[in-house]
Amino acid sequence: MNHGLEYNRQLLLLGAKRNAVLELSEVQRYGTDSYGDPDYVTIYGLRPADWFAKGVRLLGRTAVECTRDELANAVGKEIAAIAASGAEAAHVVLDPFAGSGNTLYWILRHLPGARATGFELDPKVFELTRANLSILGLPVTILNADYASELSNVAPATDELLVTFIAPPWGEALSAKSGLDLRRTTPAVTEIVDLLTKQYRHNRLVCAVQVHERLDHAGVREITQRFDWSALSIFDLNPPGERHGLLLGTIGWVPRLGAAAANHA
Ligand SMILES: C[S@@+](CC[C@H](N)C(=O)[O-])C[C@H]1O[C@@H](n2cnc3c(N)ncnc32)[C@H](O)[C@@H]1O
């Protein structure tokens, strides 16, 4: 079918639709034009027609940037498995780059009862996400803030495990030649991990970093040397060459896992 204008990543993330609130037909066109699937932007456990009917709205950029259900579910599952291997009774979750809040939504589905906070710098993304999460009744605090400026608002007790999900914009960090360089995201994952480690030096931490299957290995080493334990998973949810994954690391503790799960990065 010829729609005229193609609803692709360029138009929604960088072009005229970046800061536009999308109509349902536009969300579905993005899915169809870019991935052959009108339900591609399935988030909060709902297909586009269902979340739109509830009043949930997304900007063009967030439709592209969001961690969709299948991936966010896989992320939540892996995080919960590691968190369960710690001795702490309570979990605090922080997503410093919340975007749609969909990863927080899925982490909370796998860690029910956790206290959760997200930071979102962009005021328009923030307003929509706050409204969307409130429509869905999700008990999450979302702050319109730069991730580095409001960390003191998240103050876990020393016997609580802090789970952080780290998915900053990749910007120029994903190169066709050498893959995703975790030192070159905006901000750099190295810088984020250092700041979290300093701020939460009295806590045990889980750092869960969203990655691409093509990874710059020197960048990965720079991150993993900051961790006490780490493991890399690539999820089989996209075609080969486009798969995403999770680099999990712990700081201040080492999970007690069975031999099969101890797949160190
Ligand atoms: C890749 S998206 C995250 C998507 C998210 N995982 C989801 O499920 O929708 C990154 C988000 O971080 C926000 N952001 C960028 N720099 C930031 C900063 N310094 N502090 C807080 N948020 C920031 C962007 O506006 C964007 O919404």
Side-chain angles (χ1 to χ4, degrees):
M1 196 182 348
N2 181 8
H3 297 302
L5 186 62
E6 189 181 322
Y7 268 63
N8 56 21
R9 180 183 175 85
Q10 172 67 30
L11 178 72
L12 271 65
L13 186 59
L14 306 166
K17 293 290 177 185
R18 178 176 172 81
N19 291 311
V21 178
L22 299 182
E23 296 297 331
L24 172 60
S25 61
E26 295 181 300
V27 177
Q28 293 170 326
R29 259 176 78 174
Y30 166 62
T32 305
D33 287 2
S34 300
Y35 301 96
D37 176 8
D39 292 335
Y40 184 77
V41 189
T42 289
I43 55 172
Y44 312 130
L46 299 167
R47 291 175 312 133
D50 297 327
W51 59 247
F52 199 89
K54 284 182 182 288
V56 165
R57 296 292 180 267
L58 290 187
L59 296 185
R61 60 173 292 185
T62 308
V64 174
E65 291 182 315
C66 67
T67 308
R68 298 173 309 117
D69 275 2
E70 277 189 321
L71 180 57
N73 181 24
V75 164
K77 231 185 244 173
E78 293 244 340
I79 286 176
I82 296 302
S85 78
E88 293 80 1
H91 303 120
V92 173
V93 179
L94 168 63
D95 184 343
F97 304 92
S100 68
N102 194 44
T103 325
L104 272 173
Y105 171 89
W106 280 97
I107 294 172
L108 280 184
R109 275 184 68 157
H110 289 283
L111 285 181
R115 289 201 314 284
T117 303
F119 301 146
E120 173 51 53
L121 182 61
D122 183 276
K124 280 186 154 177
V125 175
F126 161 76
E127 277 305 338
L128 287 180
T129 295
R130 190 169 62 168
N132 292 342
L133 296 181
S134 144
I135 289 169
L136 298 165
L138 199 68
V140 170
T141 306
I142 298 281
L143 301 178
N144 184 199
D146 176 82
Y147 90 99
S149 66
E150 296 295 334
L151 291 174
S152 59
N153 269 299
V154 178
T158 45
D159 60 350
E160 290 181 314
L161 182 70
L162 177 63
V163 172
T164 60
F165 177 65
I166 302 175
W170 287 352
E172 301 297 311
L174 179 57
S175 111
K177 199 165 153 231
S178 54
L180 177 67
D181 188 339
L182 298 171
R183 299 164 298 187
R184 295 187 57 218
T185 55
T186 38
V189 174
T190 32
E191 175 193 318
I192 298 163
V193 170
D194 285 345
L195 198 61
L196 293 172
T197 308
K198 188 166 166 233
Q199 177 77 28
Y200 302 111
R201 56 191 170 281
H202 302 303
N203 286 94
R204 294 167 165 222
L205 254 73
V206 174
C207 295
V209 185
Q210 187 169 335
V211 296
H212 193 273
E213 67 174 300
R214 287 186 289 110
L215 272 172
D216 179 288
H217 292 292
V220 171
R221 272 197 302 280
E222 276 221 26
I223 303 293
T224 54
Q225 71 191 18
R226 288 160 160 83
F227 294 149
D228 293 314
W229 169 93
S230 64
L232 175 68
S233 304
I234 300 297
F235 304 116
D236 220 359
L237 301 171
N238 281 11
E242 294 173 31
R243 293 178 302 180
H244 284 226
L246 194 68
L247 176 60
L248 269 174
T250 61
I251 296 173
W253 68 293
V254 172
R256 294 184 303 274
L257 297 170
N263 165 30
H264 284 227

